[in-house]
Amino acid sequence: MPSNNYWEKLPNNPGIYKHKHTGLYLARKKIKGKNFKETFIRLRQATHWYRTFNGVKVKKEISQTATLKEVWETMQEKHFPTLAKSTIAIWHRRYELLIELEDRPMENITSSVVSTWVSNQVKFFKSEEYENNCRGKAKRCNLDNELNLFTTIFNWYKDSEDFEEEAVHLINPIKTKHKKMGFIRPKPVRKMSITLDHALKFFSFLKPLYRDLALTQYFTASRIGEVAGLQWSRVDFENRTATIMETCYWDMTTKCFVNLNKHPKNKEPRPFYLTDELIQILKRRETFKIPGNDFVFHVDGKPLNYGTIQLNYREAQRKGKLPYSGTHILRHGMAKLARKIGGGLDAVIAMTGHKDFKLADHYSKLDEEFQQEISEKIMASIREKQKSKTDQDFSNVIHLARFASGNS
């Protein structure tokens, strides 16, 4: 048993203890009368060590390159300040699976090492242990995000002046085969962009505050944090313009408001035109304006919490029996509508503020609805051709009949 009272034994996990304050896991094992122990960030790492450790400690490799952990820590210090807080939070979550590789020097993280790591991860995510403890429908489907993050880390490592000499000859060990190996189960079909008809239905089931919030998000093709963070100082009724600048930052664990970022995700202000509909919304919101409070959307002067927005959006989606989830469907939906009506990616970029055509394409894919429209047009053409051919054949039959009759 650990020597202090901060560690508590986990039931059904022999040899595993959890720290009451830090949340770390301690694994203890006795082999041939000798005690061994290791601490881990995740429970499954601790249980894996307990099941597989045989008493032989691997000697630390002598290397001329930094370890993955050292690169990651330097990256956090030098590169993270340039990123949006939401991106940083996502990267930290994705790095959790890479912790198992972090003590290895970069030169020793070879393609075969990555293959072994991928195989072990896939084996775990297909195991009964995971199946019994996963979050229902939110099962892991692949390792794409982690592999993409490693590539991002490696590319930064190669470009960084801190590591340029040691990294110059190294090649990214992540190969196309690793993503194929990292397949766990098919992704559930999820509609990412809402159709116009469904959007109008969705708005009708929202309460007034959240209806105006959702309408503004849709009409401006914005991220939810950008609209929730919209400030009156950025609204210019006289010139019919407003600017996306400040954005809400929420804690993704509690889903509560933390602070107001000074700029959007790409760090560039995004002006948008105030249509008659947007002016009507903003005029409604003006009646709730509080002196000293610059938020357009608020509850009694307090910024909106993401959890409350989610709750209202979900309820409207449920009442409308709509096949969507999340808050980002409105941004995708308007991007798709802009592409369809505007005729190209330039229209999408004008609405969403993307600088990357690849991202603009991703956000505005004219998938099911467009495919249905094209399919109907194609089939109409085929039907017309079939009808024409049938009429022609029928006409030939009549003529032949008359010919036969005339010669009888």
Side-chain angles (χ1 to χ4, degrees):
M1 178 73 186
S3 57
N4 58 53
N5 295 323
Y6 293 115
W7 296 96
E8 58 182 359
K9 193 173 187 314
L10 293 184
N12 303 320
N13 288 279
I16 310 296
Y17 303 82
K18 185 175 183 180
H19 199 279
K20 294 178 181 178
H21 298 324
T22 65
L24 292 173
Y25 295 94
L26 172 70
R28 299 177 74 248
K29 192 171 186 179
K30 193 170 187 178
I31 301 174
K32 296 180 180 180
K34 189 175 181 179
N35 290 318
F36 297 90
K37 63 181 181 180
E38 290 285 346
T39 55
F40 301 89
I41 293 176
R42 303 182 69 180
L43 174 59
R44 71 182 192 84
Q45 294 171 332
T47 54
H48 176 75
W49 180 90
Y50 184 83
R51 288 196 306 267
T52 61
F53 182 65
N54 61 6
V56 179
K57 289 195 173 184
V58 179
K59 292 182 180 179
K60 193 171 183 178
E61 298 167 307
I62 299 173
S63 173
Q64 299 300 313
T65 61
T67 63
L68 175 60
K69 182 179 182 180
E70 290 167 339
V71 174
W72 176 245
E73 289 175 346
T74 307
M75 190 177 179
Q76 291 179 70
E77 178 188 347
K78 303 286 181 69
H79 182 54
F80 276 31
T82 68
L83 302 175
K85 289 182 178 179
S86 57
T87 301
I88 293 172
I90 290 169
W91 284 12
H92 274 297
R93 288 201 301 272
R94 292 178 180 175
Y95 184 77
E96 286 182 6
L97 293 188
L98 294 173
I99 287 174
E100 294 181 18
L101 299 174
E102 70 174 4
D103 289 332
R104 288 179 175 269
M106 293 296 285
E107 65 180 348
N108 291 335
I109 303 180
T110 60
S111 180
S112 61
V113 168
V114 174
S115 294
T116 301
W117 174 81
V118 169
S119 297
N120 289 338
Q121 299 298 329
V122 170
K123 185 178 179 181
F124 169 74
F125 287 116
K126 287 184 175 180
S127 68
E128 286 188 21
E129 179 186 348
Y130 175 75
E131 290 289 338
N132 293 335
N133 292 284
C134 67
R135 300 176 299 157
K137 293 181 180 179
K139 293 179 181 178
R140 176 172 288 272
C141 298
N142 56 59
L143 299 172
D144 287 1
N145 288 334
E146 286 72 20
L147 292 169
N148 288 340
L149 176 61
F150 185 91
T151 295
T152 300
I153 295 171
F154 187 87
N155 289 339
W156 181 87
Y157 168 66
K158 290 276 287 183
D159 291 338
S160 173
E161 294 180 359
D162 293 79
F163 306 104
E164 60 182 353
E165 290 186 10
E166 66 177 63
V168 66
H169 298 300
L170 297 186
I171 299 173
N172 185 2
I174 306 297
K175 308 299 179 186
T176 303
K177 68 175 183 179
H178 292 131
K179 286 197 175 181
K180 294 178 181 178
M181 291 173 59
F183 173 83
I184 299 166
R185 55 180 60 84
K187 277 186 175 182
V189 177
R190 183 184 174 193
K191 293 181 180 290
M192 294 300 296
S193 59
I194 193 168
T195 65
L196 177 56
D197 287 342
H198 282 167
L200 296 175
K201 191 175 183 181
F202 170 65
F203 300 139
S204 70
F205 285 105
L206 286 166
K207 296 174 183 176
L209 167 61
Y210 297 97
R211 183 185 306 135
D212 283 345
L213 179 77
L215 283 165
T216 305
Q217 184 188 359
Y218 187 60
F219 292 155
T220 61
S222 296
R223 301 174 181 88
I224 188 61
E226 295 171 344
V227 179
L230 183 62
Q231 304 290 292
W232 281 116
S233 56
R234 306 296 180 186
V235 177
D236 183 354
F237 283 117
E238 185 177 349
N239 294 304
R240 297 183 72 116
T241 62
T243 304
I244 295 293
M245 179 66 82
E246 292 81 6
T247 61
C248 283
Y249 174 64
W250 295 292
D251 182 293
M252 285 295 102
T253 301
T254 64
K255 299 186 179 180
C256 292
F257 177 83
V258 177
N259 58 38
L260 194 66
N261 288 341
K262 295 181 180 179
H263 45 70
K265 190 173 182 180
N266 65 359
K267 294 185 168 54
E268 292 187 17
R270 179 163 61 91
F272 60 89
Y273 176 73
L274 295 182
T275 61
D276 290 344
E277 291 77 12
L278 283 169
I279 286 177
Q280 289 175 7
I281 292 169
L282 292 170
K283 287 297 183 182
R284 283 198 296 269
R285 291 307 304 161
E286 254 193 331
T287 61
F288 297 94
K289 199 170 181 180
I290 297 175
N293 177 29
D294 208 26
F295 281 89
V296 173
F297 298 99
H298 61 86
V299 176
D300 298 328
K302 296 179 180 179
L304 301 179
N305 289 322
Y306 184 66
T308 310
I309 296 171
Q310 267 191 319
L311 188 66
N312 281 271
Y313 275 37
R314 284 174 182 168
E315 183 66 9
Q317 289 158 358
R318 184 189 65 79
K319 286 181 177 178
K321 298 180 180 179
L322 301 173
Y324 309 96
S325 62
T327 60
H328 217 51
I329 54 170
L330 295 175
R331 178 165 162 84
H332 277 278
M334 178 51 72
K336 179 177 171 182
L337 192 60
R339 183 171 183 173
K340 186 175 181 181
I341 294 174
L345 293 180
D346 286 337
V348 178
I349 287 172
M351 288 300 297
T352 63
H354 284 119
K355 301 299 179 187
D356 187 323
F357 275 92
K358 187 176 179 181
L359 270 176
D361 178 61
H362 166 70
Y363 266 75
S364 60
K365 283 191 183 298
L366 300 175
D367 43 28
E368 294 179 24
E369 186 181 356
F370 187 62
Q371 192 270 342
Q372 178 183 344
E373 183 180 326
I374 296 299
S375 294
E376 288 295 344
K377 286 181 179 179
I378 291 171
M379 292 310 299
S381 177
I382 293 173
R383 291 180 198 120
E384 186 64 31
K385 189 70 175 176
Q386 287 176 324
K387 183 176 182 296
S388 173
K389 191 176 188 316
T390 301
D391 289 345
Q392 186 179 10
D393 291 345
F394 185 63
S395 175
N396 289 337
V397 169
I398 294 174
H399 289 316
L400 287 170
R402 287 176 180 171
F403 177 77
S405 176
N407 288 277
S408 61

